[in-house]
Each structure stands twice: as structure tokens, then as C-alpha cells.
Amino acid sequence: MKFNNSNVSLSPSAKIGKNVRIGDNTVIYDNVVIGDNTVICNDCQIGEPTGAYYKDSDYVNPPTIIGADCLIRSHSIIYASNTIGDHLITGHHIMVRTGNKIGHHSSIGNFTELHGDAVIGNYVRLHSNVCICEYAVVHDYAWIFPGTILSNGVTPPGNLLLGPEVGPYTVIAVNAVLLPGVKIGANCLVGASSVVTKDVPEFTVVIGSPAKNMGDIRNIQSKETGGAYYPWPNHFDRGMPWQGMDYNTWLSQQNQ
Amino acid sequence: MKFNNSNVSLSPSAKIGKNVRIGDNTVIYDNVVIGDNTVICNDCQIGEPTGAYYKDSDYVNPPTIIGADCLIRSHSIIYASNTIGDHLITGHHIMVRTGNKIGHHSSIGNFTELHGDAVIGNYVRLHSNVCICEYAVVHDYAWIFPGTILSNGVTPPGNLLLGPEVGPYTVIAVNAVLLPGVKIGANCLVGASSVVTKDVPEFTVVIGSPAKNMGDIRNIQSKETGGAYYPWPNHFDRGMPWQGMDYNTWLSQQNQ
Amino acid sequence: MKFNNSNVSLSPSAKIGKNVRIGDNTVIYDNVVIGDNTVICNDCQIGEPTGAYYKDSDYVNPPTIIGADCLIRSHSIIYASNTIGDHLITGHHIMVRTGNKIGHHSSIGNFTELHGDAVIGNYVRLHSNVCICEYAVVHDYAWIFPGTILSNGVTPPGNLLLGPEVGPYTVIAVNAVLLPGVKIGANCLVGASSVVTKDVPEFTVVIGSPAKNMGDIRNIQSKETGGAYYPWPNHFDRGMPWQGMDYNTWLSQQNQ
């Protein structure tokens, strides 16, 4: 019973790729571009306009680019002016405000929101109920687990907003908070419910509120093998470009 | 392509003001009153009835009042029996249960929920994913940032519910928890991920779990000017009634 | 104006009980079974298929069982392959992924999500914005308050996932985190914003990050009577099988 093409509202100015499917009750607003084979599920708002749309008769919706082979699940809202790469997979009820740039092969979990003007790399995993503030930067292969908040208000409320930065391969556990402007290096691990108040160098584990340096991530043992677990790409490949091959082999191929 | 007036369900007993626009697939239940120029976006439930509606054939929906010039964004649910002032702006997916009183010019962010019977003042900013328990009181010009929870169960589960109180101009940072019945005075700042376990006097900064007194908010320097940043109305006016004029000038006009 | 039966999408293979009502714009996918008198409100997706549905032309939706006398509120998503008992009541915007088993007379609050393959007992209360990881077990009469996260990734990201376990009658306050594999015994209380890092024996109060043993729950006084408040069933019965009678009387009847 796939989609019924029932009650879909599709702007005449939207450019829809080949084999795109759009769910029931979904609205595609003006100037949205959707790549081939992408699926937009039911009850979504794609290219959602800002508040000006309701006031200004001459409002023009800025372009929204969604790549090919994406899967946007039901009840999701993606504002106009976002640029999203290929192979994005989302959960339900995601909320993406204006001006974000999202790479390819990334994912966004249920109820997760991007407040705008963030830069999200490739193969990034934003789990459910994550809050990404404006101007945040999340690098390739980073993982952010449920309930974590990246914040940017230095003296709230105010106009001085500094987005935090999460390095490549870094893992932020559940319910953590990154304070404005902190930079977390590559291959770090931030513990559950930690509050990160200052920069974290690469390969570092931090835990607590305020988060304290607990040592080198490469000292964490695998519960399965007893050897070092991190960097995690040596032990986990699902959905990653090195899936089915050794990470180091893949890496050496990239560097050729 | 504004709204298409497609698949709207509008109760005959609803009273809709002039120039009100209602989005696709939105339901307006019995006895809802909507002020002039208000916009209700797509996929909303306004005047949502309680569970009794599905069981009692003689259920009568209590009145729901929504003011003028409001913007209620998509996928939002506002139960019957709420009273909401003019110029409310909401994000998407908000959830407002029964019996709340919300002032004018306030805002409610994405995924934020009010459990019922709370009193929210004017120019209050509830950011995204905030949880306001029953019987909470949030005074004018207060700001509550993402992920914060106001709780009320003294010995949960139980019938002794004490709503916390947030004073005017007070700022609660991300992921904080206010325990049942705590009263936070005017012009305070609660740090990220703090747990407030006892009353906080005005002009106080508290941080930690349990939250400790870190001194007077007026000692916090502006990162931009080096001078005192708080009270914040001296440095921030967007959307506030003193926008475009000096706060103290505005204040002196109010007191005349 | 109950439901209008407007824009409902109902699979021919769904089996719908007597007196079931289905809200506007709701989709019931293949092989869903719904018990008598259950109400599914507007804008829901019931029996939501996994990603394979969009790729495999021979995808067959696994059976989804929803019991009798349930109330599933609007904008909720229940994936295929869940088994849900009678008398479930949900809030809005709930998200239940695949393979969960949920008992009877339980409730799931607004924005709460189950990631899959969890076991939820009878008369369990999951409040709003709770995150239940895969393989979690929550026993009968347990309460989990808003913003709490049960996590399972031992060395994230990875394949070693250990679901936490919450004992019967145990209460988890707001914004807490349970680390992977922790077992919390019966009749415990976990304080607000706590991080539970190790097993907790029955009748124990734990608070903090990491959570520390604060003593026996039976030493907590009722603010109303001055006597012991816990075990809470002696003082609270709303919606419980001992409602309107003494808990111990009910208990002795059960044991006969």
C-alpha cells in the first residue's frame, strides 16, 4: 500500500528528481529541489518558510536542496534554505531550521532539532532528541547520542553566540551539554550527562560537570576482546564507508 | 502557495477572528475562540479534548481562548481550556495540556510541553524541549533554555504537587531541573544542567547539582564590553517592548 | 464533531476490532491488529514499516498487535512488529520502534520513544520525553519521569548493547540517565538528574552523578502525614488495580 499520493501539496516551483516518492499530507514548498530516489514520508513540511511568509506578500522562499537517496521520515520539518547531501536518513519528528549545511550519509534521529546555520559533516550520527544550536560545527564520523545539547549563548539572552565544535570520530554520550564555543578534538569521548566547559584535546575522555580529563581514550578496553576499543572505527563499521573491510585498509586507500 | 484550505476540520462552534488563516489538515475543535490575524499552521490540533471526549457521549469541550496576532506552527497541539494572550509565537510540535494561562508576546519553542494549570507571564521565552509541570509559575521576561524541566512531585508518585516559580527577568540555562516548589527570584541565572533544590534570592547565580550560590549576577562581565552584562535588558532588546530604545528610558515611562 | 473519518488510510489486511475509532489523516499499515474499543487519534502512523519497505518490492510488514481499550493520541508512530496489551494510554507524538513488548494498563507520555526490543510491564508509567533504549526491561508499576534516558551502548558506537533493568514499583525522577546494563531493584528511588553507574539493591534511594546510595526509601517521610511514604502504593492508587481499596488488602487478595 506504499504511498497513496493523497493530499500531497507540491509547489509548482519545486524540482523533484526521478523516482522520488512523497507521502500523504506532506507539503513541499516553493523552490525545493529533491534528488533522485529520495523518499519523503507522510505529514512532512519541506522547505518550510520563515515567519515572514505569513506577513509579507512579496516573500520569496529561498532554495532548499535535498540530495539523492535520502529518507526523510514522517512528521519532519525542514525549513527553506538548508542544503542537505545525498543519503541522509532521518527519524520522525525532526526539526531543521534555516541555513544548515548537512553532508552526505549522515543521519538525524527522532525529535532532533538543528536551530540553524550549523555545519554537519559526512557520516555524522545525530541520535534522537539532540539539540544542535546555531553555528555549531560537527565533523565527519562524529556521534552524538540522545538528549545532548550544544549551546551557544555566552551571556544569555544576548547576541554573542558561539557554536561549539565536535571533532571527527568523536563520541558524545547521552544527556551531555557543550557550553558555548568549546572545541572538542578528534577521537574524544564525552561521558553521559557531562557539561563540557572548556576545550578538549584529541583522544581525550572527559566526564562530569564540569567535565574533567579522565585520560586517553585508547586506554579504554573492549569488554569483548580485552584489547583497546578506540579509535572505534577499528571495531565498528555499520553504515560506514569501510563496512566489510578493515578500517586501516580503507584509510590507506583514501590517502593514496 | 500559502495555505490551501485543504482538509481543514473546523467546528461550527469555533469563533474565528478576522484574517485568521488555518493550515492544511488542522483540526479546530468545539468552543475554540481565535483572535484576529492569528495564523495556525498545518497539522495542528487546537482545542484538543481530554480523554473523556472519547468515552462520554455528553462531553462538552470547555472554551479555549487564543489571542490575536499569534503564530502557532505546524504539528502543535493545544488542549481545550487554555487561555492564551495576543502575539504568542510557537515553534513546531508544541504540546499544551489543559488549563494553562499564557500571557501576551510570549513564545514556546519546538517540542516544548506544558502539563497543565501553569501560569506563564508576558514576554516569556520558553525555548525548545522545555517541560513545564502543572502549577508552575513563570513570570514576565523570564527565559528558559532547551531541555530544562520544572518538576512538581514532592514524593513521586503522589498527590502532593508543588509547582516551581521563576522570577521576572530570570534566565534558566539548558538542561536544568527545578525541584518541586522552589522559588527563584527576579534577575537570577541558573547554570546549565543545574539541579535547583532550594529557593534562590534575586540577582543570584546558581550552578551545579545541587545548585550552589556563585554570587551576584551583576558581577558577570560582558565578553564584548568588559562591563556588567546583567540585568540583561540593558544589553538585549530583540522582541522586547523596549526594542529600539534604552531599557531604563522605557522603564521610567512605565512607572509614570 | 468526533472523528470525521476523513483521509484515513486503512490497509485491507488490517484487522480492526469492534467500536474502534480512527482519527483523520491516520495511516494503518498492513498486518495491524487492533482490539475492540481502541481509539487511534489523528495524524498517527500505526504499523509503520522499516526502511526496507521503501527499497524491497517484496517487503512484507510483520504483524503489529494493539490491544483493546487503548487510547493512542495524535501524531504518534508505532512501528510494525510491536505487541501492546490492553488499556495502553499514550500522549501525543510518541515514537515506538520495532519489536517492543508492552504490557496492559501502561502509559507512554508525549514525545517518549522506545528504540526497540524493550520489554515494558503492566501498569508502567513512562512520562513525557523518556528515551527507552533497545533491550531495556521495565517491570510492573515502575514510574519513569520526564527527560530520563535508559542507555545501552557499552563502548559507543558498537555492537555490545546491554539494556538497563528497572525493578517493580521503582521510581526514576526527571532527567536521570541509566548506564548500560545497570539493574535497579524493586521499590527504589533515583533522584533527579542522577547518573546510575552500577546496580542498585531494592528499597534504595540513589542520587547524584555518579549516583550514590542515600539510604533506605522507607525512611523518607510523607510531607503530609509525617509517616513513611514509601512503598508508594500505600499512599497512591490512581489508575492502579488497588484503586479505591487498601493496597495491602488488594495484595493479599492477589496472593490467595
Side-chain angles (χ1 to χ4, degrees):
Chain A
M1 56 178 286
K2 308 274 164 175
F3 295 142
N4 307 302
N5 203 28
S6 164
N7 195 31
V8 171
S9 173
L10 178 60
S11 163
S13 71
K15 292 180 184 159
I16 309 296
K18 293 177 186 169
N19 197 30
V20 166
R21 284 168 288 172
I22 299 175
D24 302 349
N25 315 314
T26 282
V27 180
I28 312 288
Y29 286 89
D30 291 351
N31 301 315
V32 170
V33 179
I34 301 179
D36 296 346
N37 306 310
T38 281
V39 176
I40 313 279
C41 296
N42 299 342
D43 304 310
C44 290
Q45 311 284 314
I46 307 297
E48 173 88 6
T50 62
Y53 173 76
Y54 305 105
K55 298 181 194 163
D56 303 346
S57 60
D58 57 353
Y59 174 86
V60 176
N61 215 28
T64 306
I65 313 294
I66 296 178
D69 299 298
C70 296
L71 174 56
I72 312 291
R73 284 202 171 88
S74 79
H75 302 84
S76 289
I77 297 149
I78 297 177
Y79 269 72
S81 78
N82 285 286
T83 303
I84 296 175
D86 299 339
H87 294 281
L88 178 76
I89 295 182
T90 85
H92 303 263
H93 297 288
I94 75 160
M95 236 305 301
V96 179
R97 273 196 64 93
T98 56
N100 301 284
K101 296 190 190 314
I102 302 174
H104 58 79
H105 289 91
S106 287
S107 64
I108 300 176
N110 307 307
F111 306 114
T112 283
E113 58 177 328
L114 283 71
H115 288 170
D117 295 317
V119 178
I120 309 293
N122 307 315
Y123 291 95
V124 167
R125 297 284 174 265
L126 304 178
H127 271 249
S128 51
N129 198 21
V130 167
C131 181
I132 302 288
C133 64
E134 287 174 281
Y135 314 121
V137 177
V138 182
H139 289 277
D140 300 351
Y141 309 108
W143 292 67
I144 303 185
F145 283 93
T148 283
I149 299 175
L150 277 59
S151 68
N152 65 9
V154 174
T155 41
N159 295 312
L160 183 57
L161 303 176
L162 300 177
E165 186 171 344
V166 177
Y169 300 104
T170 280
V171 178
I172 316 282
V174 299
N175 202 34
V177 168
L178 275 53
L179 290 190
V182 298
K183 293 183 194 307
I184 301 180
N187 284 291
C188 292
L189 175 62
V190 173
S193 294
S194 297
V195 178
V196 183
T197 61
K198 56 185 181 181
D199 292 356
V200 178
E202 62 173 4
F203 290 107
T204 305
V205 181
V206 297
I207 297 180
S209 174
K212 290 177 185 164
N213 186 329
M214 306 298 282
D216 193 303
I217 195 173
R218 290 164 292 197
N219 294 334
I220 295 178
Q221 286 185 331
S222 166
K223 302 289 194 252
E224 293 168 303
T225 69
Y229 186 80
Y230 296 93
W232 60 264
N234 293 318
H235 298 277
F236 186 81
D237 66 4
R238 191 171 63 238
M240 295 294 147
W242 57 88
Q243 187 167 350
M245 64 193 297
D246 179 70
Y247 172 66
N248 287 303
T249 305
W250 172 81
L251 200 61
S252 62
Q253 291 176 355
Q254 303 304 304
N255 295 335
Q256 286 175 349
Chain B
M1 58 179 286
K2 308 273 166 176
F3 295 139
N4 307 301
N5 202 27
S6 165
N7 195 31
V8 170
S9 173
L10 178 60
S11 163
S13 71
K15 293 179 185 161
I16 308 298
K18 294 177 186 169
N19 197 30
V20 166
R21 284 167 290 172
I22 299 175
D24 303 348
N25 315 314
T26 281
V27 180
I28 312 288
Y29 285 89
D30 291 352
N31 300 317
V32 170
V33 179
I34 301 179
D36 295 346
N37 306 309
T38 281
V39 177
I40 313 278
C41 296
N42 299 342
D43 304 309
C44 290
Q45 311 284 313
I46 306 297
E48 172 88 5
T50 62
Y53 172 76
Y54 305 105
K55 298 181 195 162
D56 303 345
S57 60
D58 56 352
Y59 174 85
V60 176
N61 215 28
T64 306
I65 313 293
I66 297 178
D69 300 299
C70 296
L71 173 56
I72 311 292
R73 286 202 170 89
S74 79
H75 302 85
S76 288
I77 297 150
I78 296 176
Y79 269 71
S81 78
N82 285 286
T83 303
I84 296 175
D86 299 339
H87 294 282
L88 177 76
I89 295 183
T90 84
H92 304 263
H93 297 287
I94 75 159
M95 235 307 299
V96 179
R97 274 195 63 94
T98 55
N100 302 283
K101 296 191 190 313
I102 302 174
H104 58 80
H105 289 90
S106 287
S107 63
I108 300 176
N110 307 306
F111 306 114
T112 282
E113 58 179 327
L114 283 72
H115 288 170
D117 294 316
V119 178
I120 309 293
N122 307 316
Y123 292 95
V124 168
R125 298 284 174 264
L126 305 179
H127 272 249
S128 51
N129 197 22
V130 167
C131 181
I132 302 288
C133 64
E134 287 173 281
Y135 314 120
V137 177
V138 182
H139 289 276
D140 300 351
Y141 310 108
W143 293 67
I144 302 185
F145 283 93
T148 283
I149 299 174
L150 276 60
S151 68
N152 65 8
V154 174
T155 40
N159 295 313
L160 184 56
L161 304 176
L162 300 177
E165 185 171 345
V166 176
Y169 301 104
T170 280
V171 178
I172 317 281
V174 298
N175 201 35
V177 168
L178 273 53
L179 290 189
V182 297
K183 293 183 194 305
I184 301 181
N187 285 291
C188 292
L189 175 62
V190 174
S193 295
S194 297
V195 178
V196 183
T197 60
K198 55 185 181 183
D199 292 356
V200 178
E202 62 173 3
F203 290 109
T204 305
V205 181
V206 297
I207 297 180
S209 174
K212 291 177 185 164
N213 186 329
M214 307 297 282
D216 193 302
I217 196 172
R218 290 163 291 195
N219 294 333
I220 295 179
Q221 286 185 332
S222 166
K223 303 290 194 247
E224 294 168 302
T225 69
Y229 186 79
Y230 295 93
W232 61 263
N234 292 318
H235 298 277
F236 186 82
D237 67 4
R238 192 171 61 237
M240 295 293 147
W242 56 89
Q243 187 166 349
M245 65 193 296
D246 179 71
Y247 171 66
N248 287 304
T249 305
W250 172 82
L251 199 61
S252 64
Q253 290 176 357
Q254 302 305 303
N255 295 335
Q256 285 174 351
Chain C
M1 58 177 286
K2 307 274 165 176
F3 296 140
N4 307 301
N5 202 28
S6 165
N7 195 31
V8 170
S9 174
L10 178 61
S11 162
S13 71
K15 292 180 186 160
I16 308 297
K18 293 177 188 169
N19 196 30
V20 166
R21 284 167 290 171
I22 299 175
D24 302 349
N25 315 313
T26 281
V27 181
I28 311 289
Y29 286 89
D30 291 352
N31 300 316
V32 170
V33 179
I34 301 179
D36 295 347
N37 306 311
T38 281
V39 176
I40 314 278
C41 296
N42 299 342
D43 305 309
C44 291
Q45 312 284 312
I46 306 297
E48 172 88 5
T50 62
Y53 172 76
Y54 305 105
K55 298 180 194 163
D56 302 346
S57 59
D58 56 353
Y59 174 86
V60 176
N61 215 28
T64 306
I65 313 294
I66 297 179
D69 299 298
C70 296
L71 174 56
I72 312 291
R73 285 203 172 87
S74 79
H75 302 83
S76 288
I77 297 150
I78 297 176
Y79 270 71
S81 78
N82 284 287
T83 303
I84 296 175
D86 298 340
H87 294 282
L88 177 76
I89 295 183
T90 85
H92 304 263
H93 298 288
I94 74 159
M95 237 304 301
V96 179
R97 273 195 64 93
T98 56
N100 301 284
K101 296 191 191 312
I102 302 174
H104 57 80
H105 289 90
S106 286
S107 63
I108 300 177
N110 306 307
F111 307 115
T112 283
E113 58 178 328
L114 283 71
H115 288 171
D117 295 316
V119 178
I120 309 294
N122 307 316
Y123 292 95
V124 168
R125 297 284 174 264
L126 304 179
H127 271 250
S128 52
N129 198 21
V130 168
C131 181
I132 302 288
C133 64
E134 287 173 280
Y135 314 121
V137 177
V138 182
H139 289 276
D140 299 352
Y141 309 108
W143 293 67
I144 303 185
F145 283 93
T148 283
I149 300 174
L150 276 59
S151 68
N152 65 8
V154 174
T155 41
N159 295 313
L160 183 58
L161 303 176
L162 300 177
E165 185 170 344
V166 176
Y169 300 104
T170 279
V171 178
I172 317 281
V174 299
N175 201 36
V177 168
L178 274 52
L179 290 190
V182 298
K183 293 183 195 306
I184 301 180
N187 284 292
C188 292
L189 175 62
V190 174
S193 295
S194 297
V195 178
V196 183
T197 61
K198 56 186 181 182
D199 292 356
V200 177
E202 62 174 3
F203 290 108
T204 305
V205 180
V206 296
I207 298 180
S209 175
K212 291 177 185 164
N213 186 329
M214 307 297 282
D216 193 303
I217 195 172
R218 288 163 292 197
N219 293 333
I220 296 178
Q221 285 185 331
S222 166
K223 303 289 193 249
E224 294 168 301
T225 69
Y229 186 79
Y230 295 94
W232 60 262
N234 292 319
H235 298 277
F236 187 81
D237 66 3
R238 192 170 62 237
M240 296 294 147
W242 56 90
Q243 186 166 350
M245 65 193 295
D246 179 70
Y247 171 66
N248 287 304
T249 306
W250 172 82
L251 199 61
S252 63
Q253 290 176 354
Q254 303 304 303
N255 295 334
Q256 284 175 350

